[in-house]
């Protein structure tokens, strides 16, 4: 399966103006934003890019920072007081942080620069025995794979930051109860270290994006082109590597179904990760409550095209939310629902590769979707 890495901005996947969970999200309120744009002469692309930077990218990174701080505190509490309550609080904090991270993820232009050194540092701190679950007497799936980029992780194409979050997931979720922390103190020590590393990386990322001149300096060229290609890359990864590969729906999978390739095994939140990535795309497209690409299309009189694209985003979220239970179980127990979501994401990929580029007069980097 051809894979084209396109730098990504789609993690501006932030909480999309609703406190409801992704599964509960009602498509009828998905874009209540009222556009005041009338025609092209009144549309200011600089204002749109500034709005996306301030109210989508930086706003999401700020939220991610506060949530990562809370995550770090909860893990330190677990280290100091290893109880079931402390463990549950740390697990919940990880889930909350991951929701925001997935909405922000496509945002990162050069993910590796923020965590590649950190991964090496973590590797030097631990060995496989650190991940041994005392009650199971065996290492976690992630111990060797995530940090050492084994074959499964290579096929999942995980970035440094993704692997770091998932290593932390393994430390927090691949346990039976608080006794696993009492009997293996290294587990808590490593979880604290990783949470601190992630917080430092988010702070660095926030500083990176605060240089807004780089983002809005080339309105008609690089900036708009990068955003478009990041949107395409977000949908591509969501459909192909996060959903299609483990479900055996892509050429790369060879039609082999392997539920173990879902992104988050211990916490069983892989489906929610994909939903939040698309919610991030939606927020980016709408520009939050300010000027977005939807307004730009309206300014050019492309109302029908704008509505069609918004509907396709909504349909994709609905299809993903309709998958019952965890993605791992649904792949074998409800393959029809998984296929419907896969096809819906394929239609969304076509929309962001054809409809949107034509509207904003740009030529996208085309990625070839499998399973069509």
């Amino acid at each position: 399966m051809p894979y084209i890495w396109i730098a990504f901005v789609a993690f501006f996947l932030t909480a999309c103006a609703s406190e409801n969970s992704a599964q509960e999200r009602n498509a009828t309120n998905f874009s209540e934003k009222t556009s005041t744009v009338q025609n092209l002469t009144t549309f200011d692309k600089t204002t749109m890019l500034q709005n996306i930077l301030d109210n989508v990218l930086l706003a999401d990174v700020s939220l991610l920072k506060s949530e990562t701080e809370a995550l770090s505190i909860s893990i330190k509490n677990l280290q100091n007081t290893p109880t079931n309550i402390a463990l549950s609080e740390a697990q919940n904090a990880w889930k909350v942080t991951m929701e925001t991270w997935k909405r922000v993820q496509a945002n990162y232009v050069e993910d590796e620069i923020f965590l590649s050194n950190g991964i090496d540092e973590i590797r030097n701190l631990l060995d496989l025995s650190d991940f041994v679950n005392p009650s199971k007497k065996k290492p976690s799936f992630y111990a060797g794979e995530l940090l050492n980029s084994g074959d499964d992780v290579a096929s999942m194409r995980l970035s440094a930051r993704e692997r770091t979050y998932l290593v932390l997931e393994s430390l927090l979720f691949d346990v039976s109860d608080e006794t696993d922390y009492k009997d293996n103190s290294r587990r808590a020590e490593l979880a604290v270290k990783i949470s601190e590393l992630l917080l430092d990386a988010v702070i660095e990322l926030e500083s990176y994006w605060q240089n807004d001149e780089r983002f809005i300096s080339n309105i008609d060229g690089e900036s708009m082109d990068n955003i478009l290609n990041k949107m395409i890359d977000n949908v591509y990864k969501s459909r192909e590597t996060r959903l299609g590969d483990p479900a055996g729906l892509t050429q790369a999978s060879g039609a082999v179904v392997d539920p173990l390739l879902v992104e988050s095994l211990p916490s069983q939140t892989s489906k929610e990760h994909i939903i939040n990535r698309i919610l991030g795309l939606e927020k980016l497209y709408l520009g939050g409550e300010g000027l977005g690409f939807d307004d730009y299309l309206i300014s050019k009189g492309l109302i029908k095209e704008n509505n069609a694209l918004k509907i396709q985003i909504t349909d994709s979220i609905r299809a993903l939310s309709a998958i019952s239970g965890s993605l791992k179980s649904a792949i074998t127990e409800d393959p029809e629902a998984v296929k419907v979501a896969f096809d819906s994401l394929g239609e969304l990929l076509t929309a962001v590769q054809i409809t949107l580029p034509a509207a904003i007069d740009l030529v996208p980097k085309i990625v070839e979707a499998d399973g069509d």
Side-chain angles (χ1 to χ4, degrees):
M1 172 179 61
Y3 174 74
I4 300 178
W5 172 261
I6 311 165
F8 215 150
V9 87
F11 187 8
F12 352 152
L13 317 172
T14 196
C16 240
S18 172
E19 294 181 357
N20 296 329
S21 69
Q23 289 86 345
E24 296 170 340
R25 191 167 171 281
N26 188 330
T28 59
N29 64 15
F30 121 134
S31 73
E32 295 298 325
K33 185 185 80 171
T34 301
S35 176
T36 58
V37 175
Q38 299 298 321
N39 54 62
L40 187 60
T41 60
T42 65
F43 192 86
D44 185 349
K45 282 189 282 188
T46 300
T47 301
M48 181 188 78
L49 288 173
Q50 189 68 59
N51 172 66
I52 289 174
L53 177 66
D54 293 338
N55 299 316
V56 178
L57 307 187
L58 283 172
D60 288 346
V61 171
S62 177
L63 176 61
L64 182 62
K65 182 173 71 172
S66 65
E67 291 176 349
T68 306
E69 289 172 344
L71 172 62
S72 183
I73 291 172
S74 70
I75 293 175
K76 289 175 183 176
N77 290 338
L78 174 61
Q79 180 185 35
N80 296 330
T81 310
T83 65
N84 275 335
I85 293 177
L87 176 59
S88 178
E89 290 175 346
Q91 290 172 337
N92 288 335
W94 181 89
K95 288 181 179 180
V96 169
T97 303
M98 281 298 288
E99 287 182 4
T100 303
W101 154 238
K102 285 300 170 183
R103 291 192 303 268
V104 164
Q105 184 177 22
N107 205 351
Y108 297 108
V109 176
E110 295 178 88
D111 182 71
E112 298 294 332
I113 69 173
F114 298 105
L115 274 177
S116 55
N117 292 335
I119 283 286
D120 292 335
E121 184 178 355
I122 294 171
R123 286 195 187 105
N124 293 334
L125 288 174
L126 53 77
D127 58 43
L128 223 61
S129 63
D130 292 321
F131 286 82
V132 171
N133 182 321
S135 61
K136 297 180 181 179
K137 304 300 182 185
K138 65 180 182 179
S140 161
F141 163 78
Y142 288 115
E145 291 296 311
L146 288 173
L147 291 179
N148 298 317
S149 297
D151 291 341
D152 285 341
V153 170
S155 67
M156 292 166 72
R157 291 186 283 271
L158 296 172
S159 68
R161 189 184 300 267
E162 286 175 298
R163 283 183 280 135
T164 306
Y165 274 115
L166 295 178
V167 168
L168 185 55
E169 175 192 24
S170 178
L171 291 170
L172 291 176
F173 288 88
D174 192 23
V175 295
S176 298
D177 53 37
E178 84 282 359
T179 58
D180 289 336
Y181 270 88
K182 291 178 180 178
D183 295 343
N184 190 351
S185 61
R186 285 273 295 169
R187 184 182 290 266
E189 293 172 10
L190 290 166
V192 168
K193 177 64 179 178
I194 292 172
S195 69
E196 292 174 344
L197 172 67
L198 287 170
L199 179 57
D200 289 343
V202 173
I203 292 172
E204 185 178 358
L205 179 65
E206 182 179 49
S207 175
Y208 179 83
W209 276 113
Q210 283 172 342
N211 182 6
D212 59 358
E213 292 183 3
R214 174 180 52 247
F215 184 75
I216 64 174
S217 61
N218 190 347
I219 300 169
D220 293 313
E222 184 177 356
S223 295
M224 295 284 281
D225 186 67
N226 282 345
I227 293 177
L228 171 63
N229 285 310
K230 290 167 188 176
M231 293 172 75
I232 295 170
D233 190 56
N234 182 28
V235 180
Y236 176 83
K237 288 180 179 176
S238 298
R239 180 183 191 259
E240 304 288 311
T241 63
R242 302 300 181 263
L243 185 64
D245 284 352
L249 296 173
T250 63
Q251 292 179 11
S253 69
V256 175
V257 176
D258 188 356
L260 293 180
L261 287 180
V262 297
E263 187 173 3
S264 286
L265 281 171
S267 66
Q268 294 298 307
T269 54
S270 303
K271 177 183 67 179
E272 289 73 20
H273 293 345
I274 302 173
I275 291 172
N276 277 300
R277 290 179 71 118
I278 304 305
L279 286 172
L281 168 68
E282 178 187 59
K283 185 175 182 181
L284 175 65
Y285 179 74
L286 296 175
E289 294 300 316
L291 281 180
F293 286 95
D294 60 329
D295 300 296
Y296 188 30
L297 266 63
I298 291 171
S299 75
K300 301 184 71 173
L302 300 174
I303 298 174
K304 182 183 297 184
E305 289 80 357
N306 172 55
N307 289 339
L309 208 156
K310 291 198 296 182
I311 289 172
Q312 190 54 58
I313 294 174
T314 303
D315 287 348
S316 294
I317 295 171
R318 279 176 169 164
L320 288 164
S321 300
I323 297 173
S324 59
S326 70
L327 180 59
K328 178 177 178 290
S329 62
I331 284 173
T332 55
E333 297 173 9
D334 192 10
E336 294 82 5
V338 174
K339 181 62 164 60
V340 168
F342 179 77
D343 291 342
S344 183
L345 286 172
E347 293 176 10
L348 178 58
L349 181 60
T350 299
V352 296
Q353 283 192 136
I354 298 177
T355 302
L356 186 56
I360 60 179
D361 303 318
L362 287 175
V363 177
K365 296 178 181 178
I366 300 297
V367 294
E368 297 180 25
D370 282 355
D372 292 329

